[in-house]
């Protein structure tokens, strides 16, 4: 069974920084796109950032210039460096991976890690 496990969430002051990490494990041939989505209370889940195996990055408009996504294809990990954090960044952040099992593809999600930006 494939698992995506996030870490690094917590409480940070406005203007501060936080780094999230996600590691995928299990019977994985490879992972195509990996990334991060977030969901705040009462709102829909939204794209934060995602990255292809070849290095193409896509960011949500609200985080461009502040967040940076990176990944290690060999380790099946993806990180999110979050700088200049704002209260509106408060949400549960979910790791995402489109997992290639060789015989097919499936979207997989982590359990989420909470990020709270507050004074």
């Amino acid at each position: 069974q494939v698992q995506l496990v996030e870490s690094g969430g917590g409480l940070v002051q406005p203007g501060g920084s936080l780094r999230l990490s996600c590691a995928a494990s299990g019977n994985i041939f490879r992972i195509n796109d990996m990334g991060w989505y977030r969901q705040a209370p009462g709102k829909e889940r939204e794209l934060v950032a995602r990255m292809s195996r070849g290095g193409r990055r896509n960011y949500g408009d609200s985080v461009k210039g502040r967040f940076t996504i990176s990944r290690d294809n060999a380790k099946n990990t993806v990180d999110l460096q979050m700088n200049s954090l704002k209260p509106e960044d408060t949400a549960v952040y979910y790791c995402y991976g489109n997992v290639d099992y060789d015989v097919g593809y499936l979207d997989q999600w982590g359990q989420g890690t909470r990020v709270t930006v507050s004074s």
Side-chain angles (χ1 to χ4, degrees):
Q1 182 174 253
V2 173
Q3 288 186 304
L4 302 180
V5 180
E6 303 99 333
S7 62
L11 175 65
V12 64
Q13 293 185 335
S17 297
L18 206 60
R19 188 176 183 89
L20 306 182
S21 297
C22 174
S25 62
N27 189 19
I28 301 168
F29 177 66
R30 67 180 179 182
I31 304 178
N32 300 310
D33 280 18
M34 294 190 80
W36 296 89
Y37 290 73
R38 68 187 183 188
Q39 188 167 25
K43 296 184 178 180
E44 296 183 351
R45 188 172 298 189
E46 65 175 353
L47 170 70
V48 178
R50 61 192 288 166
M51 188 174 180
S52 71
R53 290 184 60 84
R56 173 182 51 81
R57 294 174 169 89
N58 182 215
Y59 293 97
D61 289 341
S62 64
V63 308
K64 287 180 180 177
R66 299 189 298 122
F67 292 8
T68 303
I69 188 171
S70 60
R71 65 180 289 180
D72 188 323
N73 294 339
K75 295 180 179 179
N76 288 326
T77 60
V78 61
D79 290 355
L80 183 71
Q81 179 65 46
M82 303 185 292
N83 298 327
S84 301
L85 283 161
K86 305 173 181 179
E88 48 263 49
D89 294 318
T90 297
V92 177
Y93 285 69
Y94 296 91
C95 181
Y96 161 84
N98 181 251
V99 180
D100 182 359
Y101 297 93
D102 195 26
V103 298
Y105 298 82
L106 285 175
D107 290 340
Q108 301 285 353
W109 296 89
Q111 81 288 348
T113 185
R114 294 185 182 273
V115 172
T116 302
V117 184
S118 176
S119 299

